Amino acid sequence: MNFNFLGIAFLFLLFTACKNNQQTLPFLGETIVENGKEIHHKVGQINHYTQDSTLLTNKDLEQYIYVADFFFTSCPSICPKVAKEMLRIYNEVSDNPNVKLVSFTIDPKRDTPERLRLYAENLGVDHKKWLFVTGDKDATFELANTFFVAAFEDAESPGGFDHSGKILLIDKEGHVRSFSEGTDPSTTPKLIDDIKLLSESYNTKGK
Amino acid sequence: MKYIYLIIFAFSIVSCNNTPYVQGKRLFAANCANCHMEDGSGLGELIPPLNKSTLLGQASMVCIVKNGIKDTLFKDSTYLLKEMPSFSHLSATEVTNIINFINYKWQPSFKEITILDVEQALKTCQ
């Protein structure tokens, strides 16, 4: 009787342990092995100015996990929808100091830091929590590729740019760990769960 | 006798799921929801909500849909994206259906407007 009980408790432990293991997020993109070490895909060089006109680089983001998207303020098509989902995420993570949001404009000509600042103010969000950044156009397009977001100029598209509405989750080391489709609100809850999971993984690692 | 409740229940489900303005719903999803959102909530202070618009129930809403709108709602402020594109390619019938759908969804004291109302209102647009 006692033994049975222990057995069940043990099984239960095993089960929950397995479940926890499964709950680490995958590394998206190509993983190569060098000298027996796995090297996961990382996002490219960030060298952008925020709505406060301060420089933002990969190094500044090392202490945070962050949620990224690519957009432009005068975008008449999918951007408001994606922004709405970003806002939903923003509200979910507002009390988690480990998480930031970064929105890269793909229209730096029009989207100056001042304009981005207005945009952020109109959204009513905290400038330190949700960064809207602008930089060199070609560099931003290249950077978008490393986030697996296709972005390019296209006269045929509404607003003159074509881009996907993906929202991406990046870890402290710069790896892409999860994403949602900003144009499909039903994919947002999973990303919110993944953000919590990733954030907690750093807490348990004691980092 | 018990069955009658079931039938009423089934009927109410079916009728609740059916929007009478099928074309309006489809056109709204295709043309308006990307900015004003499926639930009409808008986006912060960038795009006004439709579910609380003061224009609900008014045929003059057609002017905004047909001609677009710039810088009116948000005048005298530093708002961005103050522009709504015009939907001049939509016919009077299509706009009537969109407006009826919007009113049906967000105006409790909804009264259907007709194509005649819309054509009348179109004459008064600036």
Side-chain angles (χ1 to χ4, degrees):
Chain A
M1 181 66 191
N2 242 340
F3 178 76
N4 261 348
F5 184 73
L6 253 175
I8 288 170
F10 181 69
L11 266 176
F12 181 74
L13 249 175
L14 245 178
F15 182 72
T16 46
C18 286
K19 222 175 138 200
N20 268 338
N21 267 346
Q22 274 174 356
Q23 276 182 350
T24 54
L25 300 174
F27 292 89
L28 304 184
E30 213 180 356
T31 296
I32 52 168
V33 180
E34 232 177 66
N35 300 328
K37 259 182 91 178
E38 280 191 339
I39 300 175
H40 303 295
H41 170 83
K42 278 190 184 185
V43 300
Q45 194 59 51
I46 300 171
N47 214 334
H48 287 68
Y49 286 91
T50 70
Q51 70 264 43
D52 291 330
S53 299
T54 51
L55 183 67
L56 181 82
T57 66
N58 306 63
K59 202 153 175 31
D60 299 312
L61 289 165
E62 271 173 5
Q63 342 159 27
Y64 305 102
I65 66 177
Y66 64 97
V67 180
D69 77 328
F70 289 79
F71 86 116
F72 57 110
T73 60
S74 46
C75 165
S77 55
I78 59 171
C79 303
K81 261 194 137 151
V82 179
K84 189 91 177 182
E85 295 313 301
M86 286 289 279
L87 197 58
R88 208 170 140 193
I89 295 166
Y90 171 86
N91 288 327
E92 283 287 333
V93 301
S94 59
D95 54 358
N96 185 340
N98 296 320
V99 187
K100 297 240 183 220
L101 290 88
V102 185
S103 290
F104 295 88
T105 177
I106 55 172
D107 183 13
K109 211 166 136 192
R110 279 181 286 183
D111 289 342
T112 57
E114 300 83 72
R115 204 176 149 108
L116 292 175
R117 192 179 174 88
L118 265 183
Y119 188 85
E121 273 167 12
N122 283 190
L123 272 180
V125 299
D126 177 358
H127 294 299
K128 293 273 173 278
K129 179 86 179 169
W130 188 346
L131 309 169
F132 291 85
V133 302
T134 182
D136 179 74
K137 189 176 70 194
D138 291 331
T140 305
F141 285 1
E142 257 174 54
L143 181 67
N145 279 330
T146 70
F147 282 79
F148 311 118
V149 175
F152 46 90
E153 269 178 290
D154 176 12
E156 306 269 283
S157 292
F161 295 93
D162 194 4
H163 68 298
S164 82
K166 280 198 171 49
I167 298 176
L168 300 111
L169 174 61
I170 315 298
D171 69 17
K172 293 186 182 180
E173 289 77 28
H175 305 123
V176 184
R177 303 300 294 273
S178 184
F179 70 93
S180 68
E181 296 295 341
T183 48
D184 180 0
S186 72
T187 62
T188 306
K190 163 91 171 45
L191 186 69
I192 291 171
D193 286 346
D194 287 351
I195 294 168
K196 287 180 184 148
L197 204 66
L198 185 61
S199 178
E200 275 160 24
S201 79
Y202 285 101
N203 289 343
T204 51
K205 260 194 260 170
K207 262 195 188 176
Chain B
M1 191 56 208
K2 265 189 215 153
Y3 287 110
I4 195 132
Y5 292 109
L6 251 177
I7 291 168
I8 291 173
F9 181 65
F11 189 74
S12 68
I13 286 179
V14 175
S15 56
C16 284
N17 280 340
N18 272 346
T19 307
Y21 304 101
V22 183
Q23 190 196 38
K25 184 179 179 179
R26 192 171 49 73
L27 288 170
F28 180 82
N31 295 294
C32 323
N34 61 321
C35 283
H36 292 285
M37 307 296 153
E38 219 74 59
D39 61 359
S41 59
L43 178 61
E45 284 166 340
L46 288 165
I47 294 164
L50 290 185
N51 54 11
K52 297 189 209 97
S53 172
T54 51
L55 289 165
L56 284 176
Q58 294 185 35
S60 60
M61 191 189 268
V62 67
C63 298
I64 290 176
V65 181
K66 277 291 244 186
N67 304 331
I69 183 172
K70 198 173 175 178
D71 228 2
T72 57
L73 191 72
F74 302 143
K75 224 184 184 124
D76 301 326
S77 66
T78 43
Y79 290 110
L80 208 70
L81 260 195
K82 309 175 210 186
E83 197 175 342
M84 171 169 148
S86 69
F87 290 85
S88 48
H89 59 278
L90 295 177
S91 71
T93 319
E94 288 171 325
V95 177
T96 308
N97 284 334
I98 295 178
I99 293 179
N100 275 327
F101 169 72
I102 290 173
N103 285 330
Y104 170 78
K105 248 188 124 164
W106 296 304
Q107 175 86 319
S109 55
F110 159 73
K111 184 170 157 290
E112 185 170 280
I113 59 161
T114 64
I115 296 174
L116 277 177
D117 296 332
V118 162
E119 280 173 345
Q120 199 57 42
L122 265 176
K123 287 190 201 136
T124 64
C125 300
Q126 284 117 3

